[in-house]
Amino acid sequence: GESVGLHLPTLSVQEGDNSIINCAYSNSASDYFIWYKQESGKGPQFIIDIRSNMDKRQGQRVTVLLNKTVKHLSLQIAATQPGDSAVYFCAENSGSNYKLTFGKGTLLTVNP
Amino acid sequence: GAGVSQSPSNKVTEKGKDVELRCDPISGHTALYWYRQSLGQGLEFLIYFQGNSAPDKSGLPSDRFSAERTGGSVSTLTIQRTQQEDSAVYLCASSWGRPGSPLHFGNGTRLTVT
């Protein structure tokens, strides 16, 4: 069945370091992946997405890597800032399924 | 531009009462989704609308839950005879309704059933 999971439930980094948040998925039919950031008391905020015909996509300070061979997705945040502290969710969608399936999330804490 | 708007932001109700939660999607978005998020958990899909129709209601936990969407815009999620286990944050999202379109979320309604 479909599932999206995260390797690490919590991640603590020093300000200025790079952060890497990992995600595994099990549905080989998944062809679209999204990372969301959720701050306390707010809804998930779209960060970056990637389609399965790509293995890397870059945004502002963020990079998403997709390894379809091992069904693994990662979010890299460069020069992590205190404002990056939040829960990060990966989500997946298959071409025939309009819904997003979410993992449980990783709490990122940035220490000044 | 305006994002997804949800109201109320907080709702406290007594067990057994009915509640209505409202969602105003981003203008022009044809797809609308309701999700539920329990404390410290991921997002649980409830229902999906494409226009005014709901092709997928598979996530609604019981027949006490219902939702409607009128005019292809505003949606209401109704929970009848609320139970304590209904306490959660109810999130609404909208999108362009095409596979691969990112969902844009509101800030949710925090429902507490006492």
Side-chain angles (χ1 to χ4, degrees):
Chain A
E2 299 178 346
S3 70
V4 179
L6 293 165
H7 293 311
L8 296 173
T10 62
L11 178 64
S12 183
V13 300
Q14 291 298 122
E15 181 178 359
D17 287 352
N18 297 333
S19 302
I20 300 176
I21 302 172
N22 296 301
C23 180
Y25 65 96
S26 61
N27 184 359
S28 58
S30 296
D31 62 359
Y32 178 62
F33 305 88
I34 306 180
W35 281 100
Y36 284 91
K37 172 187 180 183
Q38 187 174 29
E39 296 174 287
S40 180
K42 296 185 178 180
Q45 177 187 359
F46 171 82
I47 301 174
I48 191 168
D49 59 1
I50 187 169
R51 295 182 183 274
S52 60
N53 61 353
M54 303 173 67
D55 53 21
K56 179 179 180 179
R57 191 172 188 208
Q58 289 184 294
Q60 186 177 13
R61 284 200 306 117
V62 294
T63 300
V64 55
L65 299 177
L66 175 63
N67 186 330
K68 294 180 287 294
T69 302
V70 295
K71 299 195 194 111
H72 184 268
L73 189 70
S74 68
L75 177 70
Q76 300 179 0
I77 305 174
T80 316
Q81 303 169 359
D84 295 327
S85 294
V87 176
Y88 289 81
F89 292 95
C90 62
E92 59 90 15
N93 167 278
S94 65
S96 61
N97 185 340
Y98 43 82
K99 294 184 295 192
L100 291 180
T101 301
F102 285 80
K104 291 193 182 298
T106 292
L107 173 62
L108 174 66
T109 302
V110 182
N111 302 309
Chain B
V4 176
S5 177
Q6 292 187 246
S7 62
S9 55
N10 283 283
K11 176 71 176 178
V12 180
T13 190
E14 292 181 350
K15 178 182 173 181
K17 295 286 181 66
D18 297 353
V19 294
E20 278 192 358
L21 312 180
R22 176 187 168 105
C23 173
D24 271 290
I26 292 173
S27 178
H29 278 186
T30 58
L32 186 146
Y33 309 77
W34 285 97
Y35 281 80
R36 180 169 70 174
Q37 186 174 31
S38 299
L39 186 63
Q41 298 297 309
L43 279 70
E44 173 191 6
F45 169 79
L46 298 178
I47 188 170
Y48 155 71
F49 287 92
Q50 182 64 263
N52 289 338
S53 64
D56 189 345
K57 306 177 183 179
S58 63
L60 295 178
S62 75
D63 59 7
R64 296 186 295 104
F65 288 71
S66 63
E68 65 176 14
R69 189 179 185 195
T70 55
S73 181
V74 172
S75 176
T76 56
L77 176 69
T78 301
I79 309 173
Q80 296 178 309
R81 305 181 302 282
T82 52
Q83 304 294 313
Q84 287 186 331
E85 60 264 28
D86 299 334
S87 296
V89 175
Y90 289 82
L91 290 159
C92 176
S94 68
S95 80
W96 292 111
R98 297 185 291 269
S101 298
L103 275 61
H104 298 272
F105 284 86
N107 285 330
T109 293
R110 180 175 298 278
L111 176 65
T112 303
V113 182
T114 62

